[in-house]
Every structure is written in structure tokens, then in C-alpha cells.
């Protein structure tokens, strides 16, 4: 297997032609009668018409746009541009897809978030939204959690981040274009839903849900990240007892490394 460059660098020129992307795993501590239960994660169900992962339940996210790179270079001039731009993309995509504004220094009310989302959907850039509302981003509140990249052309070179929203109810609304539903659920419950056929999940989402299900809270996730420095994960086909399996390398913190290729939805 070809070894590619670290997560703070782009895919090298002699590697596959991939699409930089970002995904955000948002933790929320259950409140009320559910207090003390495993953390809830925000997921969106993609429209079946979407080319990638159509109909699947995923975490908010999408590709990194040129405007994300421009804003990242302005806000984080000393940070590796690939990581900085991915953080901006994760924040922007989360607002677009769910109406939730994360990683802002000032408190954000639900009406303000709704207006910001409307502006973002019309313009497509996060920078004018920040200027309009006087918001100051704190991108470091998104912690790099994992980095997945299938080793073929047009694959999504996706950096996964985690952040902690805290507790309490927040206003979120599906965008009704790329997605048809959004919901809060624990990682273990999402796995159960997938096993019952209530939702479908693609291979990377399944592996990450299995890993996330081991964490009692956001701090557990941060501790696990510290034990497993993030590197690009390249799924590959391996023969196991004469059968093709889609697998990821060991050592990245995942309790389940793969599944039979025929049963794996790669999006």
C-alpha cells in the first residue's frame, strides 16, 4: 500500500486526484430524563438523489471550497492550510446543512443562526456571514479526530473533526436539498438502527460509529485521539479465508477494522 503524506499536508502530486472534504462530529450531553446516558451525535440523512452516499445517514460535512481556503489563510495564517481550510469547511457545512453555528466566541441565538444560514445559502461563503453578524470564529474548538481517503481518483480526502456543543436543546433544521432528515442519537443507537435497517451507513461512518460508541463523553474522544495520532486511513481490499474484505490498517483506534466487501457500502 502506498504511504501518503501526513494529515496536515495535501495529497502529493503522484497520488490519486482526490477531493478535499471535511466532516464534523458534534457531541451533545443528554439532558432531562436522559441525563447520564451516552453522548448524542448530530447526524443527517442524505437525499437519495445525491451522487455520494445517497440515502445514507452521515455526519454534517462536505467538500472544501476555495473560499474556505481564503478565509482559513486570513484567520489562521500560521496553520497548515489543509487543516485550517478543512476546519472552516466543517463549520460552514454544518451551518448550511443543519442551521447550527459552531465554534463562535460569542453566544449565537437561534434567530441569528437562522438569518446567517439564509445568507450563507445565498452567497456560499462564510466570511461575509461572520462580518455581517460580528462573529469571531474559534476554529481550534474543532479537534482533528480522523482522516479517511480512498486511494483512487475522485475519492473524498476527508478530515473528521469533533467538537462539544455542551448540553440542552438547540434549534436545527434540515436543509431539504442535500438532506431529508437530521437527528440526534448515540453512536451505539445509530449502529442498532443500521442493523435493523432503519438507516443505512457507508463504510467509514460505520467504522467511526463503532469507535465513537466507546466514548462516555467528549473528553474520552480527546483522550483517544491523543493515543492515536491522526494519519490518512486508506481502506483496502484484503483476502480473509478466501473472501474479499474491505479493511483499514490497524493502529488507528478502531475496534472493528473491516467487513466483507460485498456487504460494505462505500457511498
Amino acid at each position: 500500500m502506498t504511504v501518503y503524506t501526513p494529515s496536515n499536508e495535501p495529497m502529493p502530486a503522484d497520488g490519486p486526484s482526490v477531493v478535499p472534504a471535511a466532516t464534523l462530529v458534534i457531541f451533545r450531553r443528554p439532558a432531562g430524563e436522559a441525563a447520564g446516558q451516552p453522548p448524542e451525535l448530530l447526524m443527517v440523512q442524505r437525499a437519495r438523489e445525491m451522487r455520494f452516499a445517497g440515502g445514507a445517514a452521515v455526519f454534517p460535512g462536505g467538500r472544501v471550497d476555495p473560499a474556505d481556503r481564503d478565509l482559513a489563510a486570513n484567520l489562521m495564517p500560521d496553520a497548515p492550510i489543509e487543516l485550517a481550510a478543512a476546519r472552516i469547511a466543517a463549520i460552514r457545512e454544518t451551518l448550511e446543512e443543519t442551521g447550527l453555528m459552531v465554534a463562535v466566541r460569542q453566544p449565537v441565538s437561534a434567530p441569528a443562526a437562522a438569518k446567517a444560514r439564509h445568507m450563507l445559502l445565498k452567497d456560499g461563503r462564510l466570511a461575509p456571514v461572520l462580518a455581517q453578524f460580528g462573529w469571531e470564529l474559534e476554529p481550534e474548538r474543532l479537534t482533528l479526530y480522523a482522516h479517511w481517503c480512498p486511494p483512487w481518483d475522485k475519492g473524498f480526502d476527508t478530515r473528521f473533526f469533533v467538537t462539544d456543543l455542551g448540553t440542552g436543546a438547540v434549534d436545527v433544521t434540515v436543509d431539504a436539498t442535500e438532506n431529508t432528515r437530521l437527528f440526534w442519537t448515540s453512536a451505539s443507537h445509530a449502529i442498532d438502527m443500521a442493523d435493523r435497517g432503519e438507516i443505512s451507513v457507508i463504510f467509514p461512518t460505520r467504522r467511526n460509529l463503532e469507535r465513537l460508541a466507546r466514548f462516555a463523553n467528549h473528553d474520552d474522544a480527546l483522550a483517544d485521539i491523543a493515543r492515536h495520532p491522526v494519519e490518512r486511513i486508506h481502506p483496502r481490499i484484503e483476502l480473509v479465508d478466501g473472501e474479499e474484505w474491505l479493511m483499514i490498517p490497524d493502529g488507528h483506534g478502531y475496534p472493528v477494522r473491516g467487513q466483507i466487501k460485498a456487504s460494505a457500502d462505500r457511498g
Side-chain angles (χ1 to χ4, degrees), residues 152-177:
W152 53 71
D153 287 346
K154 298 183 180 179
F156 285 97
D157 187 23
T158 307
R159 291 169 173 87
F160 287 72
F161 297 92
V162 296
T163 194
D164 187 18
L165 192 64
T167 189
V170 293
D171 288 333
V172 289
T173 309
V174 71
D175 66 3
T177 55

Side-chain angles (χ1 to χ4, degrees), residues 4 34 38 55 64-65 111 115 125 190 202 210 239 246 248 250 265:
Y4 298 120
V64 177
D65 290 341
K115 292 178 182 177
R125 298 173 299 153
I202 60 176
E210 290 159 350
L239 280 179
L246 184 59
I248 61 173
D250 200 5
D265 184 351

